[in-house]
Amino acid sequence: EMQMLREAAEAERAKAERAQAQAELEKARAEHEVELTEVQRQVERKAYRVVNHTSKRVMSNTAQCCELVVKELRACCDAGVELRRAVQLLESTRAQATNGFHMCRSMLLQA
């Protein structure tokens, strides 16, 4: 009977150890999930900063090119000169804006 009591006590201890190990595993999983969520948030923040920066660069370049186009057009209109330079500036602006758009889009797809 003493042997049975010892075996029962040992079985209870083993059961308690398994329960403790399971609880520690669940806690570790929960902590890992929290860490993973934080890493995902950091990646998203960085991606949005890159998109924001790229967008601002495109807008700035577009504004500067438009200013140059306006000056060219005013001078051409006043002098009756061909508008080739203005067309080149507009084409360049369009190309830069298109490239910026694709950069932003690719960053969003990667994020």
Side-chain angles (χ1 to χ4, degrees), residues 5-17:
L5 288 175
R6 280 190 213 130
E7 289 174 1
E10 184 62 33
E12 282 299 314
R13 272 188 293 241
K15 184 177 177 182
E17 288 173 2

Side-chain angles (χ1 to χ4, degrees), residues 3-53:
Q3 180 66 22
M4 288 177 54
L5 288 175
R6 280 190 213 130
E7 289 174 1
E10 184 62 33
E12 282 299 314
R13 272 188 293 241
K15 184 177 177 182
E17 288 173 2
R18 283 193 304 271
Q20 182 178 359
Q22 183 66 30
E24 289 174 3
L25 177 64
E26 290 174 9
K27 180 182 176 185
R29 283 182 182 158
E31 289 172 353
H32 176 72
E33 194 66 32
V34 167
E35 290 173 10
L36 183 61
T37 301
E38 181 56 31
V39 168
Q40 288 172 332
R41 286 183 184 144
Q42 289 174 3
V43 168
E44 287 175 1
R45 281 193 296 269
K46 287 178 183 177
Y48 286 122
R49 279 197 298 268
V50 169
V51 169
N52 186 325
H53 174 74

Side-chain angles (χ1 to χ4, degrees), residues 50-51 54 57 98-108:
V50 169
V51 169
T54 304
R57 177 171 289 183
T98 301
N99 288 339
F101 170 79
H102 290 299
M103 286 172 55
C104 290
R105 190 173 85 179
S106 69
M107 290 305 300
L108 285 175

Side-chain angles (χ1 to χ4, degrees), residues 86-97:
V87 170
Q88 289 173 341
L89 287 170
L90 287 172
E91 288 174 342
S92 174
T93 301
R94 181 184 177 280
Q96 289 179 15

